[in-house]
Amino acid sequence: SQELEQSPQSLIVQEGKNLTINCTSSKTLYGLYWYKQKYGEGLIFLMMLQKGGEEKSHEKITAKLDEKKQQSSLHITASQPSHAGIYLCGADFTGGGNKLTFGTGTQLKVEL
Amino acid sequence: DTAVSQTPKYLVTQMGNDKSIKCEQNLGHDTMYWYKQDSKKFLKIMFSYNNKELIINETVPNRFSPKSPDKAHLNLHINSLELGDSAVYFCASSQERGLSYNEQFFGPGTRLTVL
């Protein structure tokens, strides 16, 4: 099984709807990173959550890290077509910050 | 200005050939990485270099050899290409800031197809 599982695997929402993507780790997290990938492009950094649990927001995206559950959620409010893409969570399991283990990815489509 | 660039963007080649992918970053970062993304979009780290020194070397066949001529460049050379090497290869870079903070900047990817 994967060390980092994301759910759902894919998601189709109507424009304007809210959505949540989850990332669950089977190991202790030192840091959790969220990235977005558009088709045919590289990954764009969204935000990083530190060990201990925290919550961060940027524009309409909010990410939380629950240390007890070793789980992170990414919430998008009032989704727009520009939010479409693949969302990947990346975990730092070593504390060194260099090696990231990525999740299985969530493909998001936003319909008009 | 391109932060992390890779060439070529697409690479189609025959089994058994040797090929190289180049990566350059102009961010002044001291750490660079190579990742492989398979057809299911699963992204896995292959190598990492810090100031031209290899610091991460995952279980990757010896046919893959990274080379870092300076800290702004990390090239990936692949010998005797196999069908299973078909994937998208991403280069990334980061600047270590401590406290486990490591925002990585990714290149656009190189789609390798082995026939």
Side-chain angles (χ1 to χ4, degrees):
Chain A
S1 62
Q2 302 286 354
E3 294 171 316
L4 212 56
E5 294 275 0
Q6 282 184 240
S7 62
Q9 199 170 7
S10 63
L11 194 52
I12 302 173
V13 298
Q14 278 195 315
E15 186 178 6
K17 296 293 184 186
N18 302 337
L19 64 107
T20 300
I21 299 169
N22 292 307
C23 176
T24 304
S25 173
S26 60
K27 294 162 60 170
T28 300
L29 291 164
Y30 284 87
L32 192 288
Y33 297 74
W34 282 101
Y35 283 85
K36 179 187 171 187
Q37 182 181 20
K38 288 201 163 182
Y39 179 75
E41 297 179 19
L43 279 67
I44 304 295
F45 173 78
L46 295 176
M47 49 192 91
M48 183 259 181
L49 303 165
Q50 297 269 11
K51 176 183 168 72
E54 60 177 337
E55 179 176 327
K56 285 184 178 175
S57 291
H58 178 67
E59 297 180 342
K60 294 186 178 181
I61 300 177
T62 300
K64 299 178 188 180
L65 178 58
D66 183 327
E67 192 181 30
K68 271 188 179 178
K69 294 181 182 177
Q70 293 297 296
Q71 184 179 71
S72 178
S73 60
L74 185 84
H75 185 78
I76 299 176
T77 305
S79 58
Q80 299 167 353
S82 61
H83 287 128
I86 298 170
Y87 289 81
L88 290 151
C89 60
D92 176 5
F93 289 132
T94 63
N98 281 318
K99 183 179 171 184
L100 293 186
T101 299
F102 281 91
T104 45
T106 296
Q107 179 143 29
L108 171 65
K109 293 183 182 177
V110 180
E111 292 182 335
L112 298 172
Chain B
D1 283 344
T2 305
V4 183
S5 59
Q6 293 178 230
T7 53
K9 191 165 171 64
Y10 299 97
L11 187 52
V12 181
T13 188
Q14 299 284 339
M15 254 189 347
N17 283 350
D18 303 338
K19 289 292 178 186
S20 292
I21 307 172
K22 294 186 177 180
C23 177
E24 177 182 0
Q25 54 96 1
N26 63 5
L27 298 166
H29 290 167
D30 52 19
T31 306
M32 295 184 73
Y33 312 79
W34 275 110
Y35 287 87
K36 179 181 179 181
Q37 187 175 45
D38 62 24
S39 56
K40 295 182 180 178
K41 305 297 182 189
F42 184 56
L43 189 67
K44 190 171 165 69
I45 190 166
M46 299 171 69
F47 302 101
S48 175
Y49 270 72
N50 179 271
N51 282 318
K52 302 196 298 174
E53 286 193 26
L54 182 67
I55 56 171
I56 294 172
N57 184 354
E58 291 298 283
T59 310
V60 178
N62 290 338
R63 299 182 293 104
F64 289 78
S65 53
K67 284 187 173 51
S68 183
D70 54 62
K71 74 174 196 175
H73 296 84
L74 181 62
N75 303 323
L76 184 65
H77 189 76
I78 315 170
N79 288 329
S80 304
L81 278 155
E82 300 177 358
L83 293 175
D85 297 333
S86 295
V88 181
Y89 292 83
F90 286 100
C91 177
S93 72
S94 68
Q95 181 65 36
E96 192 172 322
R97 297 181 189 177
L99 297 176
S100 185
Y101 184 86
N102 182 14
E103 177 186 347
Q104 295 183 21
F105 292 76
F106 282 76
T110 295
R111 183 174 292 275
L112 171 66
T113 304
V114 182
L115 303 173

